[in-house]
């Protein structure tokens, strides 16, 4: 049986092990200012990935372009001046490649996963997306149907709705902008998406990142593609610094027998993941509630508690979503709030050690995946370094106890889905 002293000896060598990190990947700039970063990966692997990253996520939208980032994401791999979408998809399939597009609050990313020998071709494809997408009106109709479906799917997902609401309540504009184009979006034509793209596609907002590729070779490919023709926009996007405003949002929902209530706290970007681990709302051991107070509380009382964290370039969010039947939601939220103030804000040394280890494992697992490496490389290339390395997790862990006391005793944002009569007001929860 392990004792505390044994666990301490076990933890010591773990903290001193050296891990290869994408944070150390060199960043190369092309002549026109596009950032390029890559990691070579395993030399015996035939696979690679290459991504075009545009710093034009939903936080950069203004009222005129509300929802434009969602539309721009959906326009990826469509018709360009040199390639039809049919040709792009056909040639991708012939090469066994996978094409994906992702939009976050900060970035829009188009990614190709392929064999290493196909990378030069797909760098050209990504260059065409940036410099030569047509944004035709007949394609806009198809894109609009896809965007509407994705938005409807998100609104049908209680967790997605409550987390979108958390951002809106916490930041209002900027990071508070929805990830999805709502029905009220003023974007109604391909020309509107084109104008947003022209404002976004300035070299200083672009990065090309890759796995399984040498950075200098990638920079050479980028410099010989259409990406080299991009120049700064006459009307560039402007982004204000994130500011945690705080607030409450009630989303009325009478149909579902389950209510949801989120409590979210402002944090430093690098400390968000360790703080979420400290909440310990979910057990990491199968068939056991674990030893964390929140996990045991949820298992004993019979309701759900899910932790979440978000790290952005200049802000962090950490918190929990409580899910319970309508008749129990108020009591469940009050008990969770009490446990956060009593057990988490004043967590002991062993709880802090568990949280630091869990956060480190989560980050290592994320960086072991191709998608995780792409996101981390993009953050490094664009200067959005918060919370993307094992080293930053280690540094945050050293001050985790102090951060927990500060963060979890501050007034949180509260967002609920259900009947307002059944949910507590945040100012009655003791924060």
């Amino acid at each position: 049986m392990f004792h505390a002293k044994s666990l301490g000896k076990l933890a010591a060598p773990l903290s001193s092990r050296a891990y290869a990190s994408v944070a150390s990947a060199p960043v190369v700039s092309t002549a026109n200012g596009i950032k390029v970063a890559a990691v070579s990966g395993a030399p015996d692997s035939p696979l690679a990935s290459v991504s075009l990253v545009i710093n034009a996520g939903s936080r950069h939208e203004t009222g005129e372009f509300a929802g434009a980032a969602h539309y721009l994401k959906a326009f990826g791999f469509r018709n360009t001046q040199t390639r039809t979408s049919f040709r792009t998809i056909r040639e991708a399939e012939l090469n066994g490649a996978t094409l994906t597009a992702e939009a976050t609050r900060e970035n829009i990313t188009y990614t190709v996963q392929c064999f290493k020998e196909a990378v030069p071709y797909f760098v050209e494809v990504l260059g065409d997306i940036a410099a030569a997408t047509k944004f035709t009106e007949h394609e806009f109709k198809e894109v609009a149907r896809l965007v509407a479906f994705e938005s409807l799917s998100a609104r049908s997902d209680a967790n997605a709705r409550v987390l979108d609401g958390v951002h809106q309540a916490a930041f209002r504009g900027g990071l508070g902008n929805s990830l999805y184009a709502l029905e009220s979006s003023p974007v109604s034509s391909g020309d509107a998406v084109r104008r947003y793209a022209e404002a976004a596609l300035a070299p200083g907002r672009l990065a090309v990142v890759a796995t399984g590729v040498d950075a200098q070779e990638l920079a050479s490919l980028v410099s010989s593609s259409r990406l080299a023709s991009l120049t700064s926009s006459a009307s560039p996007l402007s982004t204000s610094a994130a500011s945690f405003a705080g607030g409450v949002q009630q989303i009325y929902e009478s149909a579902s027998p389950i209510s949801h209530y989120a409590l979210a706290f402002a944090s430093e970007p690098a400390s968000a993941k360790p703080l979420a681990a400290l909440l310990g709302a979910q057990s990491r051991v199968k068939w056991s509630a674990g030893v964390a107070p929140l996990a045991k509380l949820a298992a004993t009382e019979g309701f759900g508690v899910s932790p979440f964290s978000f790290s952005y370039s200049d802000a962090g969010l950490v918190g929990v979503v409580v899910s319970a039947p309508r008749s129990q939601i108020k009591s469940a939220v009050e008990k969770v709030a009490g446990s956060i103030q009593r057990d988490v804000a004043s967590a002991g040394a062993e709880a802090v050690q568990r949280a630091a280890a869990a956060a480190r494992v989560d980050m290592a697992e994320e960086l072991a995946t191709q998608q995780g490496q792409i996101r981390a490389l993009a953050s490094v290339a664009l200067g959005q370094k918060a919370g993307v390395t094992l080293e930053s997790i280690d540094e945050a862990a050293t001050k985790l106890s102090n951060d927990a006391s500060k963060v979890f005793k501050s007034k949180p944002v509260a967002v609920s889905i259900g009947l307002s009569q059944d949910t507590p007001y945040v100012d009655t929860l003791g924060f």
Side-chain angles (χ1 to χ4, degrees):
M1 181 176 180
F2 282 115
H3 297 285
K5 291 183 179 179
S6 302
L7 289 172
K9 292 178 181 177
L10 179 65
L14 285 174
S15 63
S16 63
R17 290 177 186 171
Y19 288 85
S21 174
V22 293
S24 61
V27 178
V28 181
S29 293
T30 63
N32 63 337
I34 296 174
K35 304 300 182 184
V36 178
V39 288
S40 299
D44 57 343
S45 173
L47 298 177
S49 71
V50 60
S51 301
L52 170 66
V53 185
I54 309 169
N55 182 216
S58 60
R59 75 172 296 178
H60 307 289
E61 296 170 350
T62 60
E64 177 188 3
F65 291 119
H70 192 178
Y71 280 97
L72 183 56
K73 184 268 295 186
F75 256 105
F77 305 104
R78 302 276 175 172
N79 290 332
T80 69
Q81 294 172 12
T82 54
R83 289 178 175 86
T84 64
S85 59
F86 175 81
R87 175 185 169 186
T88 298
I89 293 169
R90 178 176 179 271
E91 292 179 349
E93 290 179 341
L94 288 172
N95 280 280
T98 301
L99 313 179
T100 58
E102 176 188 44
T104 67
R105 284 183 160 79
E106 296 205 286
N107 302 323
I108 299 171
T109 305
Y110 306 105
T111 297
V112 180
Q113 295 173 304
C114 60
F115 289 109
K116 290 179 179 178
E117 58 267 25
V119 167
Y121 170 75
F122 286 111
V123 169
E124 293 182 4
V125 171
L126 293 175
D128 282 354
I129 290 176
T133 297
K134 287 185 174 181
F135 299 108
T136 58
E137 296 306 321
H138 74 273
E139 279 188 298
F140 177 81
K141 294 178 181 178
E142 181 179 337
V143 166
R145 287 194 292 270
L146 173 62
V147 165
F149 173 75
E150 290 178 345
S151 299
L152 180 62
S153 297
R155 289 199 298 273
S156 302
D157 184 327
N159 192 61
R161 288 179 72 189
V162 77
L163 293 180
D164 216 35
V166 160
H167 283 82
Q168 291 166 14
F171 300 110
R172 299 179 185 174
L175 286 173
N177 293 341
S178 177
L179 281 172
Y180 306 97
L182 306 179
E183 293 177 355
S184 58
S185 170
V187 178
S188 57
S189 66
D191 183 65
V193 184
R194 178 188 57 77
R195 286 187 283 113
Y196 184 75
E198 288 176 348
L201 289 166
R205 307 187 75 95
L206 297 182
V208 177
V209 301
T211 62
V213 181
D214 178 77
Q216 292 295 339
E217 292 180 9
L218 180 62
S220 177
L221 292 172
V222 171
S223 296
S224 60
S225 73
R226 281 197 173 216
L227 290 165
S229 67
L230 294 175
T231 58
S232 297
S233 170
S235 302
L237 296 180
S238 60
T239 305
S240 57
S243 176
F244 187 84
V248 177
Q249 187 175 119
Q250 168 71 44
I251 303 172
Y252 184 82
E253 175 60 74
S254 61
S256 175
I258 302 296
S259 293
H260 308 272
Y261 196 103
L263 291 169
F265 304 83
S267 75
E268 292 298 319
S271 63
K273 188 181 288 289
L275 286 170
L278 186 61
L279 284 166
Q282 291 181 325
S283 173
R284 302 172 74 89
V285 181
K286 192 174 183 180
W287 311 124
S288 170
V291 297
L294 272 182
K296 291 197 293 184
L297 176 65
T300 302
E301 299 290 337
F303 55 77
V305 182
S306 301
F308 62 83
S309 66
F310 297 93
S311 296
Y312 299 106
S313 55
D314 56 353
L317 273 181
V318 59
V320 293
V321 177
V322 183
S323 302
R326 287 182 192 169
S327 60
Q328 300 176 27
I329 189 67
K330 182 176 182 180
S331 173
V333 171
E334 290 172 344
K335 290 175 180 177
V336 168
S339 180
I340 291 174
Q341 295 168 76
R342 181 179 61 253
D343 304 314
V344 183
S346 304
E350 186 175 316
V352 169
Q353 181 180 332
R354 283 199 310 268
R360 204 164 195 272
V361 167
D362 289 343
M363 179 56 69
E365 288 181 342
E366 185 176 335
L367 293 176
T369 67
Q370 194 173 67
Q371 186 178 46
Q373 291 175 12
I374 290 168
R375 289 176 177 173
L377 283 168
S379 295
V380 171
L382 293 171
Q384 305 163 344
K385 293 187 178 182
V388 300
T389 69
L390 289 167
E391 293 78 12
S392 67
I393 294 294
D394 289 341
E395 183 178 349
T398 63
K399 54 181 182 176
L400 186 54
S401 182
N402 290 335
D403 284 348
S405 178
K406 176 183 176 182
V407 169
F408 293 127
K409 289 183 179 179
S410 64
K411 188 174 181 178
V413 160
V415 176
S416 61
I417 298 179
L419 298 178
S420 59
Q421 296 89 336
D422 297 329
T423 54
Y425 291 100
V426 69
D427 56 10
T428 67
L429 297 177
F431 291 101

